[in-house]
Amino acid sequence: MTRSKLIAGNWKMNGLAASTAELDKIIAGSRDLPARVEVLVCPPFTLIDRFADRAERSRVAIGAQDVHAKESGAHTGCISAAMLRDAGASHVIVGHSERRTDQKESDAEVQAKAAAVIAAGLIAIVCVGETEAERDAGEATAVVGRQLAGSLPAGATAANLVVAYEPVWAIGTGRTPSTADVAEMHAFIRGRLRAQLGGEGEGVRILYGGSVKASNAAELLAVPDVDGALVGGASLTAEQFLPIGQAV
Ligand code: PGA
């Protein structure tokens, strides 16, 4: 089975209207990327509409970093999947470890959000990953297995689900797991996807995330069952982001 590679940028709480110039550079540079590469930029909510207009008819898709599980209603300050689709988003990151920690999001909430994303016709990128203490205790796969069991929505398919494995201790730290550890975890996740989703589990892309940059991308993206990258810091400029796509 050939799965195309997805190189996704998570801009987190970064970006103002002036950042459109950087998106333009990403769009221009994406034309030279290998055919098997898909590019996604997930800016803050405030830029989705503007970025989606800009990226129309380009190779760059635009996504969101979070969503509310409900379609509409009395939820001050929240954004629904229908609103994101309306603004031009095609993908939504759910369950990022920063939200699991800062907003105390549970597996059940992440699952409800992912289900809402899929119900709206968008692609859910469900994040999982262990803390350093959990890895040191030898619990990394048990933790990720629990997160997958609790966070993946029923009825997900290869077309509407992406999983991102992001060890919490590797995010924004410049540290990455060994390729052997990445291979082991991605093989474990593939097994769980097959068990939970049957044949569809084979086609679901599994991204690696956590300190991915130009200098380590080729090595990480060559690991079996690594179907792309979720990139934070290095996705903010075309200069650092595009070489990650070139590394495929
Ligand atoms: P990083 O972030 O690439 O800056 O480590 C990755 C992420 O949090 O998605």
Side-chain angles (χ1 to χ4, degrees), residues 84-106:
L84 295 174
R85 192 191 49 217
D86 195 41
S90 53
H91 297 63
V92 184
I93 298 168
V94 294
H96 189 281
S97 67
E98 284 153 17
R99 295 200 60 86
R100 288 179 184 264
T101 304
D102 298 351
Q103 277 77 31
K104 312 265 181 301
E105 285 187 10
S106 65

Side-chain angles (χ1 to χ4, degrees), residues 10 12 96 98 166 170-173 209-212 230-234:
N10 172 12
K12 308 191 180 184
H96 189 281
E98 284 153 17
E166 299 202 297
I171 295 176
T173 59
S211 296
V212 177
L230 182 53
V231 186

Side-chain angles (χ1 to χ4, degrees), residues 32-85:
D32 303 325
L33 292 176
R36 279 182 338 111
V37 179
E38 287 173 41
V39 185
L40 171 68
V41 173
C42 301
F45 289 135
T46 46
L47 293 177
I48 290 175
D49 193 24
R50 183 189 300 258
F51 274 27
D53 273 353
R54 211 80 183 182
E56 223 185 324
R57 286 183 294 276
S58 82
R59 283 181 70 171
V60 179
I62 303 300
Q65 302 169 18
D66 181 42
V67 67
H68 193 280
K70 294 267 164 57
E71 265 181 58
S72 62
H75 301 286
T76 302
C78 297
I79 305 276
S80 73
M83 292 168 184
L84 295 174
R85 192 191 49 217

Side-chain angles (χ1 to χ4, degrees), residues 3 5 179-190 206-208 218-228:
R3 294 175 292 264
K5 302 270 186 192
T179 51
D181 284 345
V182 173
E184 185 189 7
M185 185 61 84
H186 280 237
F188 170 77
I189 295 171
R190 178 70 60 209
I206 308 172
L207 312 184
Y208 168 77
E219 189 181 38
L220 288 163
L221 290 165
V223 173
D225 279 306
V226 173
D227 306 309

